[in-house]
Amino acid sequence: MKLLEGKTALVTGAARGIGKAIALKFASEGANVAFTDLVIDENAKNTEAEIAAYGVKAKGYASNAANFEEAHAVVEEVQKDFGGIDILVNNAGITRDGLMLRMSEQQWDAVVTVNLKSAFNFIHAVTPVMMKQKSGSIINMASVVGISGNASQANYSASKAGMIGLAKSIAKELGPRNIRANAIAPGFIITDMTAALPEKVREEWEKQIPLRRGGQPEDVAKVALFLASDLSSYVTGQVIPVCGGMNT
């Protein structure tokens, strides 16, 4: 039997990158997958088709994860379409890097709102669903910089540190209802976001990694699968770095 057979997962920001890798990994293990993106364009439709190719139900929903009302509306739609939600992955995120001296209020607000408030929005929306089921797994996508900080990323680091604190708090609140909450802290993962960095910057990053290479979205997806499945039935309130030893 597959690890997530009969389960329904909701993954935010999953049309590409790490979110897409997680959605596909879940589908390969039998989960029906709902996912969100700002718009359901051709790229998102292709992701939907790739998920469905595993023989599971798949549907993308247009949603601004940072909007409280839209998040709740999506959760209601997913419930109607799928019948429940067993797994929530808060993956939606952006960067607006810059030194604190030059960082604008808009840069700060945009990152904290999209990265952290979106997680609050969706956790708030799925909590009644999971409490009624008396089961669920919530996974927040944090970052190693949420643990260690990083120059020119005060906004991003703060938002990701918040994701960790949020997961730990929810684990304590909802544990008595058999709902688990954990965080994953990826390091330098090769995605469209990191591919846009200059080659010299990427090389410097790799020098800081004991394994001397960047990770793949699949590396993060494997850990997400562990946290989503019963393999981690006694794991909650934890942060698992996926960073090649960079945060050691």
PDB file of all heavy atoms in Angstrom, residues 119-137:
ATOM      1  N   ALA A 119       0.638  31.362   5.688  1.00  0.00           N
ATOM      2  CA  ALA A 119       0.613  30.139   6.491  1.00  0.00           C
ATOM      3  C   ALA A 119      -0.448  30.240   7.582  1.00  0.00           C
ATOM      4  O   ALA A 119      -1.201  29.284   7.829  1.00  0.00           O
ATOM      5  CB  ALA A 119       1.985  29.876   7.103  1.00  0.00           C
ATOM      6  N   PHE A 120      -0.515  31.389   8.233  1.00  0.00           N
ATOM      7  CA  PHE A 120      -1.573  31.614   9.227  1.00  0.00           C
ATOM      8  C   PHE A 120      -2.954  31.448   8.586  1.00  0.00           C
ATOM      9  O   PHE A 120      -3.842  30.783   9.135  1.00  0.00           O
ATOM     10  CB  PHE A 120      -1.447  33.011   9.834  1.00  0.00           C
ATOM     11  CG  PHE A 120      -2.715  33.493  10.492  1.00  0.00           C
ATOM     12  CD1 PHE A 120      -3.107  33.001  11.734  1.00  0.00           C
ATOM     13  CD2 PHE A 120      -3.533  34.423   9.862  1.00  0.00           C
ATOM     14  CE1 PHE A 120      -4.288  33.430  12.331  1.00  0.00           C
ATOM     15  CE2 PHE A 120      -4.709  34.859  10.448  1.00  0.00           C
ATOM     16  CZ  PHE A 120      -5.097  34.362  11.691  1.00  0.00           C
ATOM     17  N   ASN A 121      -3.136  32.066   7.405  1.00  0.00           N
ATOM     18  CA  ASN A 121      -4.430  32.013   6.719  1.00  0.00           C
ATOM     19  C   ASN A 121      -4.896  30.578   6.492  1.00  0.00           C
ATOM     20  O   ASN A 121      -6.039  30.224   6.784  1.00  0.00           O
ATOM     21  CB  ASN A 121      -4.343  32.728   5.369  1.00  0.00           C
ATOM     22  CG  ASN A 121      -4.142  34.223   5.501  1.00  0.00           C
ATOM     23  OD1 ASN A 121      -4.375  34.812   6.556  1.00  0.00           O
ATOM     24  ND2 ASN A 121      -3.690  34.847   4.427  1.00  0.00           N
ATOM     25  N   PHE A 122      -4.007  29.768   5.939  1.00  0.00           N
ATOM     26  CA  PHE A 122      -4.397  28.400   5.595  1.00  0.00           C
ATOM     27  C   PHE A 122      -4.510  27.496   6.818  1.00  0.00           C
ATOM     28  O   PHE A 122      -5.383  26.624   6.872  1.00  0.00           O
ATOM     29  CB  PHE A 122      -3.450  27.818   4.543  1.00  0.00           C
ATOM     30  CG  PHE A 122      -3.846  28.184   3.143  1.00  0.00           C
ATOM     31  CD1 PHE A 122      -3.353  29.322   2.536  1.00  0.00           C
ATOM     32  CD2 PHE A 122      -4.765  27.405   2.444  1.00  0.00           C
ATOM     33  CE1 PHE A 122      -3.742  29.687   1.252  1.00  0.00           C
ATOM     34  CE2 PHE A 122      -5.164  27.747   1.163  1.00  0.00           C
ATOM     35  CZ  PHE A 122      -4.652  28.890   0.563  1.00  0.00           C
ATOM     36  N   ILE A 123      -3.644  27.691   7.809  1.00  0.00           N
ATOM     37  CA  ILE A 123      -3.778  26.905   9.048  1.00  0.00           C
ATOM     38  C   ILE A 123      -5.102  27.251   9.722  1.00  0.00           C
ATOM     39  O   ILE A 123      -5.836  26.370  10.196  1.00  0.00           O
ATOM     40  CB  ILE A 123      -2.588  27.146   9.992  1.00  0.00           C
ATOM     41  CG1 ILE A 123      -1.305  26.555   9.396  1.00  0.00           C
ATOM     42  CG2 ILE A 123      -2.861  26.516  11.362  1.00  0.00           C
ATOM     43  CD1 ILE A 123      -0.048  26.891  10.179  1.00  0.00           C
ATOM     44  N   HIS A 124      -5.411  28.531   9.759  1.00  0.00           N
ATOM     45  CA  HIS A 124      -6.675  28.980  10.357  1.00  0.00           C
ATOM     46  C   HIS A 124      -7.863  28.325   9.652  1.00  0.00           C
ATOM     47  O   HIS A 124      -8.844  27.916  10.297  1.00  0.00           O
ATOM     48  CB  HIS A 124      -6.768  30.510  10.253  1.00  0.00           C
ATOM     49  CG  HIS A 124      -7.881  31.119  11.043  1.00  0.00           C
ATOM     50  ND1 HIS A 124      -9.171  31.197  10.570  1.00  0.00           N
ATOM     51  CD2 HIS A 124      -7.899  31.681  12.286  1.00  0.00           C
ATOM     52  CE1 HIS A 124      -9.936  31.793  11.474  1.00  0.00           C
ATOM     53  NE2 HIS A 124      -9.194  32.086  12.530  1.00  0.00           N
ATOM     54  N   ALA A 125      -7.767  28.211   8.329  1.00  0.00           N
ATOM     55  CA  ALA A 125      -8.877  27.659   7.540  1.00  0.00           C
ATOM     56  C   ALA A 125      -9.010  26.143   7.680  1.00  0.00           C
ATOM     57  O   ALA A 125     -10.125  25.612   7.698  1.00  0.00           O
ATOM     58  CB  ALA A 125      -8.707  28.039   6.074  1.00  0.00           C
ATOM     59  N   VAL A 126      -7.872  25.437   7.766  1.00  0.00           N
ATOM     60  CA  VAL A 126      -7.959  23.960   7.815  1.00  0.00           C
ATOM     61  C   VAL A 126      -8.125  23.418   9.228  1.00  0.00           C
ATOM     62  O   VAL A 126      -8.498  22.248   9.390  1.00  0.00           O
ATOM     63  CB  VAL A 126      -6.728  23.273   7.162  1.00  0.00           C
ATOM     64  CG1 VAL A 126      -6.542  23.717   5.731  1.00  0.00           C
ATOM     65  CG2 VAL A 126      -5.469  23.463   7.989  1.00  0.00           C
ATOM     66  N   THR A 127      -7.857  24.224  10.234  1.00  0.00           N
ATOM     67  CA  THR A 127      -7.939  23.726  11.609  1.00  0.00           C
ATOM     68  C   THR A 127      -9.299  23.102  11.937  1.00  0.00           C
ATOM     69  O   THR A 127      -9.351  21.981  12.478  1.00  0.00           O
ATOM     70  CB  THR A 127      -7.591  24.835  12.623  1.00  0.00           C
ATOM     71  OG1 THR A 127      -6.197  25.162  12.492  1.00  0.00           O
ATOM     72  CG2 THR A 127      -7.844  24.383  14.050  1.00  0.00           C
ATOM     73  N   PRO A 128     -10.436  23.748  11.625  1.00  0.00           N
ATOM     74  CA  PRO A 128     -11.718  23.104  11.932  1.00  0.00           C
ATOM     75  C   PRO A 128     -11.901  21.777  11.192  1.00  0.00           C
ATOM     76  O   PRO A 128     -12.493  20.835  11.740  1.00  0.00           O
ATOM     77  CB  PRO A 128     -12.753  24.140  11.463  1.00  0.00           C
ATOM     78  CG  PRO A 128     -12.028  25.436  11.446  1.00  0.00           C
ATOM     79  CD  PRO A 128     -10.625  25.098  11.064  1.00  0.00           C
ATOM     80  N   VAL A 129     -11.394  21.698   9.970  1.00  0.00           N
ATOM     81  CA  VAL A 129     -11.508  20.473   9.177  1.00  0.00           C
ATOM     82  C   VAL A 129     -10.739  19.341   9.849  1.00  0.00           C
ATOM     83  O   VAL A 129     -11.265  18.231  10.046  1.00  0.00           O
ATOM     84  CB  VAL A 129     -10.957  20.690   7.743  1.00  0.00           C
ATOM     85  CG1 VAL A 129     -11.102  19.419   6.911  1.00  0.00           C
ATOM     86  CG2 VAL A 129     -11.645  21.868   7.065  1.00  0.00           C
ATOM     87  N   MET A 130      -9.489  19.622  10.203  1.00  0.00           N
ATOM     88  CA  MET A 130      -8.651  18.591  10.804  1.00  0.00           C
ATOM     89  C   MET A 130      -9.114  18.230  12.215  1.00  0.00           C
ATOM     90  O   MET A 130      -9.018  17.073  12.634  1.00  0.00           O
ATOM     91  CB  MET A 130      -7.197  19.041  10.808  1.00  0.00           C
ATOM     92  CG  MET A 130      -6.584  19.105   9.410  1.00  0.00           C
ATOM     93  SD  MET A 130      -4.824  19.562   9.443  1.00  0.00           S
ATOM     94  CE  MET A 130      -4.386  19.319   7.707  1.00  0.00           C
ATOM     95  N   MET A 131      -9.627  19.225  12.951  1.00  0.00           N
ATOM     96  CA  MET A 131     -10.125  18.934  14.296  1.00  0.00           C
ATOM     97  C   MET A 131     -11.323  17.993  14.236  1.00  0.00           C
ATOM     98  O   MET A 131     -11.461  17.088  15.058  1.00  0.00           O
ATOM     99  CB  MET A 131     -10.491  20.232  15.012  1.00  0.00           C
ATOM    100  CG  MET A 131      -9.294  21.038  15.475  1.00  0.00           C
ATOM    101  SD  MET A 131      -9.743  22.549  16.346  1.00  0.00           S
ATOM    102  CE  MET A 131     -10.345  21.888  17.886  1.00  0.00           C
ATOM    103  N   LYS A 132     -12.185  18.195  13.253  1.00  0.00           N
ATOM    104  CA  LYS A 132     -13.350  17.325  13.091  1.00  0.00           C
ATOM    105  C   LYS A 132     -12.921  15.910  12.729  1.00  0.00           C
ATOM    106  O   LYS A 132     -13.486  14.923  13.205  1.00  0.00           O
ATOM    107  CB  LYS A 132     -14.268  17.891  12.006  1.00  0.00           C
ATOM    108  CG  LYS A 132     -15.589  17.171  11.891  1.00  0.00           C
ATOM    109  CD  LYS A 132     -16.497  17.844  10.882  1.00  0.00           C
ATOM    110  CE  LYS A 132     -17.835  17.120  10.785  1.00  0.00           C
ATOM    111  NZ  LYS A 132     -18.735  17.761   9.792  1.00  0.00           N
ATOM    112  N   GLN A 133     -11.872  15.804  11.892  1.00  0.00           N
ATOM    113  CA  GLN A 133     -11.336  14.497  11.503  1.00  0.00           C
ATOM    114  C   GLN A 133     -10.536  13.836  12.615  1.00  0.00           C
ATOM    115  O   GLN A 133     -10.300  12.626  12.603  1.00  0.00           O
ATOM    116  CB  GLN A 133     -10.409  14.655  10.290  1.00  0.00           C
ATOM    117  CG  GLN A 133     -11.074  15.170   9.042  1.00  0.00           C
ATOM    118  CD  GLN A 133     -10.079  15.549   7.950  1.00  0.00           C
ATOM    119  OE1 GLN A 133     -10.484  15.844   6.845  1.00  0.00           O
ATOM    120  NE2 GLN A 133      -8.792  15.551   8.256  1.00  0.00           N
ATOM    121  N   LYS A 134     -10.057  14.675  13.556  1.00  0.00           N
ATOM    122  CA  LYS A 134      -9.146  14.250  14.615  1.00  0.00           C
ATOM    123  C   LYS A 134      -7.863  13.672  14.045  1.00  0.00           C
ATOM    124  O   LYS A 134      -7.295  12.710  14.564  1.00  0.00           O
ATOM    125  CB  LYS A 134      -9.826  13.247  15.560  1.00  0.00           C
ATOM    126  CG  LYS A 134     -10.961  13.869  16.356  1.00  0.00           C
ATOM    127  CD  LYS A 134     -11.521  12.922  17.383  1.00  0.00           C
ATOM    128  CE  LYS A 134     -12.622  13.594  18.180  1.00  0.00           C
ATOM    129  NZ  LYS A 134     -13.238  12.687  19.177  1.00  0.00           N
ATOM    130  N   SER A 135      -7.400  14.307  12.973  1.00  0.00           N
ATOM    131  CA  SER A 135      -6.122  13.912  12.374  1.00  0.00           C
ATOM    132  C   SER A 135      -5.689  14.965  11.369  1.00  0.00           C
ATOM    133  O   SER A 135      -6.515  15.727  10.843  1.00  0.00           O
ATOM    134  CB  SER A 135      -6.237  12.557  11.674  1.00  0.00           C
ATOM    135  OG  SER A 135      -7.092  12.659  10.548  1.00  0.00           O
ATOM    136  N   GLY A 136      -4.391  15.017  11.106  1.00  0.00           N
ATOM    137  CA  GLY A 136      -3.878  15.935  10.103  1.00  0.00           C
ATOM    138  C   GLY A 136      -2.396  16.181  10.282  1.00  0.00           C
ATOM    139  O   GLY A 136      -1.843  15.995  11.372  1.00  0.00           O
ATOM    140  N   SER A 137      -1.764  16.580   9.179  1.00  0.00           N
ATOM    141  CA  SER A 137      -0.346  16.937   9.216  1.00  0.00           C
ATOM    142  C   SER A 137      -0.171  18.276   8.519  1.00  0.00           C
ATOM    143  O   SER A 137      -0.569  18.445   7.363  1.00  0.00           O
ATOM    144  CB  SER A 137       0.509  15.875   8.513  1.00  0.00           C
ATOM    145  OG  SER A 137       1.871  16.283   8.470  1.00  0.00           O
TER     146      SER A 137
END
